[in-house]
Amino acid sequence: MFDSPTGAALVAEDRGHSGPTAASVRSRRPWPDDFVVQATRFLQRIDLDQALAMAGAVKGYWHPTGFMAFHTRWSFEGMPVRVHCWPRGARPVEDRHPPLHNHMWPLASKVLTGTYSETVYALDDVPDGEYAHYSVEYHTRDDATVFDDGRRCQALPVVTSVCVPGEVHHLEAGVFHETTIPGSQRVVTVMVTGQREIDSCSLVGLPGFPTRRRVRRSVTPAELARAIDGLAASSR
């Protein structure tokens, strides 16, 4: 069960999928109420001006799926507050990078500008599956090796969430999702996470993504300036 931005529950349709990921999409356990409540309360105090100032004070990195990520100096329950930005126009996306991923921790994210959209997936492990499962070995936060671990699967969309400014959405640890923000949209979010709940994170995509160590590229000051141009308080 997933929380919608308004607090209503979105129930993932049970289509009879098997496997641990499908089970996790249907919820391994109820949401940890303390994390959801405290994270939402914390995020509601942060506005766009504060988030952009937080992002501008640290080095940002390009996520390989095409958004800027800033691990700020603010913290929530000992975990860094993150600011994410999907700029308008062309975004640097690594060729053939698997589009689906999960996280080792639960998260809560508030939309500050633009319309955020994502689709949650369930996986069925099948020998002749269309998609490959990739394991991620982190060396540092922005330095990792991705490799095909031999699993094959089908990826089945379960629920799509669309969130507008001011709304907070939550995602449980281990759940596979894909952001679906078109290049015509500029989106900025502020995100906090809970404590680590699973051992590692994974990617899912077409077979053939090459194994190699990847270090994420830094966001330049010019790129950040272009991304947030026009986001004056009077225009929000």
Side-chain angles (χ1 to χ4, degrees):
M1 186 160 62
F2 303 97
D3 286 346
S4 74
T6 59
L10 295 175
V11 180
E13 180 184 356
D14 185 346
R15 301 175 182 170
H17 306 320
S18 61
T21 305
S24 71
V25 169
R26 293 193 295 270
S27 281
R28 298 186 304 274
R29 56 172 174 71
W31 274 107
D33 289 340
D34 54 343
F35 170 72
V36 171
V37 172
Q38 296 300 323
T40 301
R41 186 176 299 156
F42 178 87
L43 291 170
Q44 292 293 14
R45 299 199 300 263
I46 302 175
D47 62 23
L48 182 57
D49 286 327
Q50 291 171 314
L52 294 180
M54 292 157 58
V58 296
K59 180 184 291 187
Y61 296 88
W62 282 102
H63 189 277
T65 59
F67 66 88
M68 300 174 177
F70 301 86
H71 291 239
T72 76
R73 295 171 183 152
W74 287 32
S75 66
F76 169 78
E77 300 295 327
M79 303 292 281
V81 177
R82 308 169 190 226
V83 175
H84 292 168
C85 176
W86 289 260
R88 286 196 187 100
R91 302 165 184 155
V93 177
E94 185 173 355
D95 186 41
R96 294 190 293 170
H97 191 278
L100 277 59
H101 66 281
N102 63 8
H103 299 285
M104 294 180 283
W105 20 251
L107 66 85
S109 180
K110 177 185 174 182
V111 181
L112 299 171
T113 190
T115 300
Y116 176 88
S117 57
E118 71 174 16
T119 299
V120 165
Y121 287 81
L123 302 188
D124 277 345
D125 284 339
V126 289
D128 58 349
E130 179 182 3
Y131 297 104
H133 186 275
Y134 296 89
S135 294
V136 181
E137 179 185 350
Y138 280 100
H139 309 292
T140 63
R141 188 185 63 203
D142 297 294
D143 176 4
T145 298
V146 177
F147 60 94
D148 186 335
D149 60 21
R151 287 172 57 189
R152 292 296 179 266
C153 59
Q154 294 297 107
L156 304 156
V158 176
V159 63
T160 295
S161 299
V162 178
C163 305
V164 298
E167 293 183 331
V168 177
H169 74 280
H170 310 100
L171 192 71
E172 200 170 351
V175 173
F176 282 89
H177 66 130
E178 177 187 15
T179 55
T180 53
I181 300 170
S184 58
Q185 279 277 343
R186 173 171 54 188
V187 176
V188 178
T189 66
V190 58
M191 186 185 89
V192 297
T193 74
Q195 298 300 314
R196 180 171 172 171
E197 294 184 3
I198 61 175
D199 291 336
S200 61
C201 58
S202 307
L203 309 174
V204 170
L206 293 175
F209 188 61
T211 297
R212 67 170 179 266
R213 187 168 177 172
R214 294 165 169 84
V215 178
R216 295 180 180 178
R217 180 172 73 78
S218 299
V219 175
T220 68
E223 287 173 329
L224 177 58
R226 285 194 299 270
I228 67 174
D229 182 50
L231 285 180
S234 61
S235 69
R236 295 170 199 155

